[in-house]
Amino acid sequence: MLDTKLPDFTLPATSGTSFRLSEQYGKIVVIYFYPKDSTPGCTTEGQNFRDLHDQFVAAGAVVLGISRDSLKAHENFKAKQSFPFELGSDADEAVCTLFDVIKQKMMYGKACRGIERSTFVIDRDGVLRREWRGLKVAGHAQEVLDFVKSL
């Protein structure tokens, strides 16, 4: 999938918007997939992208967080954390499937299906340029920003 043009997709998002990949051409797109709203790791990850958001914008990038949570849950999470970017709801897992982020995971000793924490950077022409899978939150948003600045 790396260095290939991604198929277009549309996702319902917060603030009464929808996110359509083809409408982002001309910008760098950072999509981060996370397991669940308002959980410790996902909150920290979102806060890290929030805190660097002005630098992402200055580098010509738009940031989108995606999980399977409802738009209502996303709106609450976004408001509580003051996220300046939108959150996309992928309840039917279509975009998660496109990016192959649904994995078998262990939660409290039980196997379950869930989103593997992953981030993707798409260039101004809609071509996937970098991916991080199964990542650790600490320092990740800064690493993504450094890569975006190199494009």
Side-chain angles (χ1 to χ4, degrees):
M1 214 162 101
L2 213 52
D3 296 324
T4 58
K5 187 164 181 125
L6 294 171
D8 197 16
F9 64 86
T10 303
L11 205 56
T14 47
S15 305
T17 65
S18 62
F19 178 92
R20 184 170 185 162
L21 182 61
S22 61
E23 291 174 356
Q24 307 305 318
Y25 293 163
K27 300 178 198 148
I28 297 167
V29 178
V30 175
I31 298 177
Y32 76 94
F33 289 87
Y34 63 97
K36 188 141 183 62
D37 288 343
S38 302
T39 55
C42 299
T43 298
T44 299
E45 183 177 26
Q47 290 168 339
N48 292 343
F49 278 106
R50 175 197 67 200
D51 295 347
L52 295 171
H53 188 257
D54 288 346
Q55 293 179 61
F56 278 104
V57 171
V62 60
V63 174
L64 176 72
I66 298 177
S67 80
R68 299 178 301 176
D69 293 298
S70 69
L71 280 175
K72 185 176 189 301
H74 276 351
E75 291 290 1
N76 292 337
F77 186 39
K78 181 182 175 197
K80 186 174 183 184
Q81 300 301 327
S82 302
F83 292 156
F85 49 83
E86 304 305 335
L87 300 176
S89 176
D90 191 24
D92 66 2
E93 300 180 2
V95 178
C96 288
T97 300
L98 173 66
F99 285 90
D100 191 30
V101 298
I102 300 292
K103 303 292 181 192
Q104 277 296 121
K105 302 176 5 175
M106 294 299 283
M107 286 285 272
Y108 309 110
K110 294 174 100 172
C112 65
R113 280 177 75 253
I115 292 178
E116 176 185 49
R117 192 179 310 281
S118 307
T119 302
F120 301 86
V121 175
I122 303 159
D123 74 10
R124 291 172 177 87
D125 299 317
V127 175
L128 180 63
R129 292 295 176 200
R130 181 82 194 267
E131 60 182 46
W132 292 261
R133 295 178 179 272
L135 57 95
K136 301 289 181 233
V137 171
H140 175 64
Q142 182 64 56
E143 185 181 347
V144 175
L145 177 61
D146 292 343
F147 180 75
V148 165
K149 286 178 176 178
S150 77
L151 291 177

